[in-house]
Structures are given as C-alpha cells and as structure tokens.
C-alpha cells in the first residue's frame, strides 16, 4: 500500500534487476483521481545526490503511468499504461477495471524496448531512442551500473500487490 504525502515518493526494491526481465504486478485504485506509477530502469537512488529519491526514477528511468485522468492535459502520454512523457498506450484497447477492482500490469524490459500489457492486452510497444536531456536514461542493468524497479506515490491511495519479476 502506498499513501501519498505532500510530495512525490518512491518505494523501491534494493535488489537490482537483470538487463532483460518481465515485471508483473497488480494495482487497484481506491478513488477515480488516484495517480501513481511503476518505475523501471533507474540507477541506485542513494548514489545520485537527490534530496527526494523519487526524482531519480523520474529523471533516469521510465514511469509506467497509472492515472485515468491523464493529468495535466488528458494527453495519451499521461494516461494509464503510458510510458510517461514518452509514449501513450496506443497499441491496444486500454481497459482499466473500476475503482475497487485489481488491474494486472505486465511490463517487459528488453534492452531499448518496453512492452506494457494491461489486464492481458498489450497496449504499449515503446522503443527508446535516447534522451539528450538525460543520457543515462534507459541504460541496461549491469553489475557496474545496476538498475532498479520501484513504485511511485503521488496522489491518493493506490494499492499494489503480487509484485514479481523474472529474467528473460
């Protein structure tokens, strides 16, 4: 369970991911305006010098969005199952279960390719072509530069369960 305070938050697994993996988890909204997300591919937040480690996920990883209001502008790149700010879920029909029901995410990280499946439907096929603003974004997890997964706290009360990953 994540409960938001007055700033962005990050709950992260301190065990690094492999370079290629599938992340499966379930999430549930408790109100229509809940806003959260799942971060993948960010470096160790303890080593980046941020006061708020959540911004390590924002600036160096990718957020798989959970926000049915698609704030701030209703654009697809801000909607549930988007790779936030990069690509909206335009590769399949997005069906989000209503408040109080569990949703399934399956997020595949395979090099520069991310695939997001929501409730069994592939909805986002994203190929990362680089980010001049953040050259360390999207790098593979290696022993020298391990990468991590995390859950975002943002707005409202969003529940998570059954978080698991396996190497490809």
């Amino acid at each position: 369970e994540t409960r938001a305070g007055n700033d962005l938050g990050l709950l992260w697994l301190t065990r690094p991911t492999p370079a290629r993996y599938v992340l499966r988890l379930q999430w549930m909204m408790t109100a229509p305006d809940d806003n959260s997300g799942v971060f993948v591919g960010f470096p160790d937040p303890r080593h980046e010098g941020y006061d708020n480690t959540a911004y390590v996920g924002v600036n160096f990883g990718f957020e798989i969005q959970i926000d049915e209001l698609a704030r701030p502008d209703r654009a697809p790149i801000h909607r549930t199952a988007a790779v936030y700010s990069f690509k909206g879920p335009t590769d399949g029909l997005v069906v989000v279960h209503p408040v109080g029901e569990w949703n399934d995410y399956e997020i595949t990280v395979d090099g520069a390719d991310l695939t997001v499946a929501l409730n069994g439907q592939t909805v986002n096929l994203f190929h990362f072509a680089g980010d001049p603003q953040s050259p360390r974004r999207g790098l593979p997890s290696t022993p020298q530069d391990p990468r991590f997964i995390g859950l975002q706290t943002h707005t409202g009360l969003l529940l998570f369960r059954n978080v698991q990953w396996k190497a490809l």
Side-chain angles (χ1 to χ4, degrees):
E1 176 178 311
T2 60
R3 189 178 295 272
N6 58 7
D7 199 358
L8 203 61
L10 175 68
L11 177 68
W12 62 289
L13 179 64
T14 58
R15 194 169 100 213
T17 65
R20 301 172 61 235
Y21 61 96
V22 176
L23 171 63
R24 292 184 182 95
L25 58 99
Q26 293 180 302
W27 55 270
M28 180 196 301
M29 295 184 300
T30 64
D33 64 344
D34 285 343
N35 180 349
S36 187
V38 179
F39 285 117
V40 297
F42 57 89
D44 191 324
R46 298 169 293 195
H47 303 154
E48 297 300 326
Y50 281 67
D51 289 336
N52 182 338
T53 56
Y55 289 96
V56 174
V58 171
N59 294 331
F60 298 101
F62 298 104
E63 178 190 353
I64 310 309
Q65 176 71 319
I66 301 169
D67 180 5
E68 278 302 274
L69 301 182
R71 287 162 284 194
D73 55 11
R74 310 259 334 138
I77 60 169
H78 299 132
R79 180 169 185 215
T80 299
V83 178
Y84 190 83
S85 293
F86 286 94
K87 184 176 183 294
T90 56
D91 298 301
L93 183 63
V94 177
V95 178
V96 176
H97 296 156
V99 168
E101 292 184 21
W102 290 102
N103 291 276
D104 295 304
Y105 259 170
E106 183 177 283
I107 302 161
T108 303
V109 177
D110 187 0
D113 295 306
L114 293 179
T115 302
V116 180
L118 172 64
N119 296 320
Q121 172 76 40
T122 297
V123 296
N124 199 336
L125 300 167
F126 171 64
H127 177 77
F128 180 60
D131 180 357
Q133 304 297 314
S134 183
R136 289 177 54 217
R137 187 188 307 274
L139 297 178
S141 187
T142 64
Q144 300 76 29
D145 185 14
R147 298 292 168 137
F148 299 88
I149 60 169
L151 305 175
Q152 179 194 69
T153 62
H154 193 295
T155 306
L157 174 64
L158 202 107
L159 307 177
F160 292 93
R161 71 179 185 188
N162 300 329
V163 180
Q164 54 192 331
W165 58 260
K166 73 172 187 177
L168 289 176

